[in-house]
Amino acid sequence: MKKNIKNNVWWVGKVDWDLRKFHGDDYSTHKGSTYNAYLIREEKTVLIDTVWEPYAAEFVENLAMATDLKKIDYIVVNHGEVDHSGALPELMKHIPDTPIYCTAHAVKSLKGQYHQDWDFHVVDTGDKLDLGNGKELIFVKMSMLHWPDSMASYLSGDNILFSNDAFGQHYATDKLYNDLVDQCELFEECIKYYANILTPFSKILRRKLDEVLSLNLPIDMIATSHGVIWRDDPGQIIRKYAEWANDYRENQITVLYDTMWNGTKTLAEKIAEGIRSADPDVTVKIYPLAHTDHNDVITEVFKSKMVVIGSPTIANSVLHPVAGFIHMMKGLKFRNKKAATFGCYGWSGESPKVLKDMMEDAGFDLMDEGLKNLWNPDREAQKRAMDYGVEIAKASL
Ligand code: FEO
């Protein structure tokens, strides 16, 4: 199905209401997603991106109803990842000689994935493609946002920025535009997307935002490749990205733990109580890592000024849901966040120190050696945990 978004520009993507996991099983998509592709029909006809491979046949069938496939003059691939390029092989069976415009890295990506020698045309930032009727596409490389090949394309005259992954969200909707959907849901998915995918590239993103803004291009719409098109105040998501890219933190402390027989859980709850007693204004949230969605918890870590993490000692180390989660945080390269550790033990008691070392390695600033407790916390131990919470509240300031 096609939908007109402005003048001669059409959305020709796919809404994936079914999707619950993305990037294999690595990213939870509770609200599905969309793969947005766009068709521009000026004197020249251009297709921007395609959809994920399982929907290739449906995509090509719908596209053929939107335009005679043989009339497509150019294909622009803003990004070679399979959720956007997956339908290319099916499409190219019909129009094998159509030129594909993309970055040099995208040529490597497409050749590496599909092993085809299509008619690639490499473009760089500032290169233009004349579409006739006084309109042109201007390309802007978005390297490492979030892949080396990522690129955005700007349609002059209509002032539409086709931003690909940037400014997107995994959010299935047939409403198409940012002003037509629930704003809480929308921004929840935007920040989750940023926290889980873009955090490691924040420094690059700061530079790229400055570069794009310095071009002074009027932007009436940001047409992303996932979720909604930003037509109502598209600058709002650019401003959010500028905020998020700047070592973002709110007045929040997040307590994370796993537990075997509830001793470490009791410490978590008492530490949280101590934090709240010392600072009633701070938001304190507690998450058991073994049965909470890790992508959702990453979003909470992204919002936090301090992370307090606990595990009982097992086999001289820590429980694997906690270790796995710290590994995930390390990959995301969080900066400007403090941390503290805790855990119960029965004999050797290494867990707070193991956690401290892991958290330091993940880039967190640890406040001390952590709190450890022999056996289940009695009243006295619970009081110590509360006092530790008070110290955490002070250290987080
Ligand atoms: Fe939506 Fe990087 O693919």
Side-chain angles (χ1 to χ4, degrees):
M1 191 191 9
K2 65 174 183 177
K3 291 181 182 178
N4 183 248
I5 64 166
K6 189 171 185 181
N7 298 328
N8 297 319
V9 186
W10 304 79
W11 177 92
V12 288
K14 169 71 185 175
V15 179
D16 189 348
W17 295 95
D18 276 357
L19 192 76
R20 289 296 173 270
K21 292 284 181 183
F22 188 78
H23 281 163
D25 276 349
D26 208 48
Y27 186 115
S28 59
T29 48
H30 307 311
K31 298 187 176 75
S33 192
T34 75
Y35 318 108
N36 299 334
Y38 300 94
L39 187 69
I40 306 169
R41 299 176 69 184
E42 297 295 346
E43 284 173 23
K44 298 290 186 184
T45 298
V46 188
L47 174 70
I48 298 183
D49 294 322
T50 69
V51 302
W52 188 29
E53 188 275 336
Y55 302 107
E58 177 184 336
F59 170 76
V60 173
E61 198 180 318
N62 285 339
L63 188 63
M65 285 193 270
T67 183
D68 178 349
L69 297 180
K70 298 213 165 16
K71 288 196 173 152
I72 296 175
D73 296 290
Y74 314 117
I75 296 169
V76 171
V77 172
N78 275 333
H79 176 29
E81 200 170 3
V82 72
D83 50 326
H84 308 295
S85 69
L88 259 186
E90 181 64 27
L91 177 63
M92 296 309 275
K93 283 182 198 164
H94 300 267
I95 46 172
D97 301 324
T98 307
I100 295 175
Y101 289 74
C102 60
T103 63
H105 280 295
V107 175
K108 288 186 203 165
S109 163
L110 296 172
K111 283 189 174 178
Q113 293 180 93
Y114 305 118
H115 314 290
Q116 299 288 325
D117 204 14
W118 292 318
D119 181 18
F120 294 110
H121 292 246
V122 171
V123 296
D124 209 333
T125 294
D127 287 352
K128 295 173 179 175
L129 190 58
D130 188 1
L131 308 187
N133 296 330
K135 294 183 183 176
E136 52 190 12
L137 271 179
I138 305 168
F139 302 110
V140 184
K141 276 164 74 175
M142 302 280 275
S143 312
M144 299 318 296
L145 297 172
H146 66 126
W147 280 48
D149 72 306
S150 298
M151 176 175 89
S153 305
Y154 176 80
L155 178 60
S156 69
D158 289 325
N159 305 337
I160 302 175
L161 180 69
F162 299 95
S163 62
N164 197 262
D165 283 328
F167 311 121
Q169 340 80 46
H170 287 304
Y171 183 39
T173 174
D174 49 17
K175 299 283 190 186
L176 207 57
Y177 300 109
N178 68 308
D179 51 303
L180 299 184
V181 300
D182 181 292
Q183 298 299 293
C184 289
E185 281 188 353
L186 172 61
F187 280 95
E188 202 170 272
E189 293 304 326
C190 285
I191 196 169
K192 177 174 176 176
Y193 191 93
Y194 189 100
N196 281 273
I197 294 180
L198 291 168
T199 302
F201 311 116
S202 287
K203 201 170 159 188
I204 299 171
L205 183 64
R206 288 198 294 271
R207 283 202 303 268
K208 185 51 71 174
L209 285 177
D210 288 344
E211 185 190 318
V212 171
L213 293 173
S214 73
L215 297 173
N216 278 324
L217 298 170
I219 297 175
D220 293 348
M221 276 186 184
I222 298 178
T224 67
S225 286
H226 295 295
V228 298
I229 295 168
W230 299 89
R231 70 171 179 187
D232 176 46
D233 184 14
Q236 66 180 297
I237 191 62
I238 298 177
R239 292 191 293 277
K240 274 287 172 204
Y241 266 47
E243 204 182 327
W244 292 337
N246 200 17
D247 294 339
Y248 184 72
R249 39 192 251 171
E250 297 177 10
N251 188 22
Q252 176 171 327
I253 299 175
T254 302
V255 181
L256 309 173
Y257 72 94
D258 193 9
T259 194
M260 292 169 74
W261 300 109
N262 288 338
T264 300
K265 175 183 175 180
T266 302
L267 291 183
E269 290 180 352
K270 290 297 165 187
I271 287 170
E273 214 175 307
I275 298 169
R276 279 191 213 100
S277 71
D279 182 357
D281 294 330
V282 71
T283 299
V284 184
K285 295 185 183 178
I286 309 176
Y287 294 100
L289 284 171
H291 43 271
T292 309
D293 182 289
H294 282 193
N295 300 113
D296 292 340
V297 181
I298 285 291
T299 311
E300 298 302 332
V301 168
F302 180 69
K303 292 192 274 185
S304 299
K305 59 182 181 180
M306 188 154 182
V307 174
V308 188
I309 190 159
S311 167
T313 298
I314 178 167
N316 306 110
S317 187
V318 298
L319 289 168
H320 77 269
V322 180
F325 188 77
I326 296 174
H327 182 73
M328 204 171 165
M329 290 195 290
K330 181 181 174 183
L332 290 169
K333 299 184 172 64
F334 288 108
R335 292 292 173 263
N336 196 28
K337 295 190 190 295
K338 295 178 180 172
T341 65
F342 62 98
C344 286
Y345 68 105
W347 58 101
S348 58
E350 292 92 339
S351 69
K353 175 70 166 67
V354 170
L355 290 173
K356 175 180 180 279
D357 292 346
M358 292 175 78
M359 289 294 279
E360 272 174 347
D361 185 46
F364 288 78
D365 179 14
L366 274 291
M367 73 174 239
D368 61 13
E369 294 299 307
L371 173 75
K372 64 178 180 180
N373 186 73
L374 183 61
W375 302 115
N376 263 348
D378 58 12
R379 277 184 184 281
E380 200 179 312
Q382 290 180 27
K383 170 73 169 56
R384 274 200 304 276
M386 280 189 67
D387 291 344
Y388 192 55
V390 171
E391 291 309 309
I392 287 168
K394 286 183 198 159
S396 74
L397 295 174

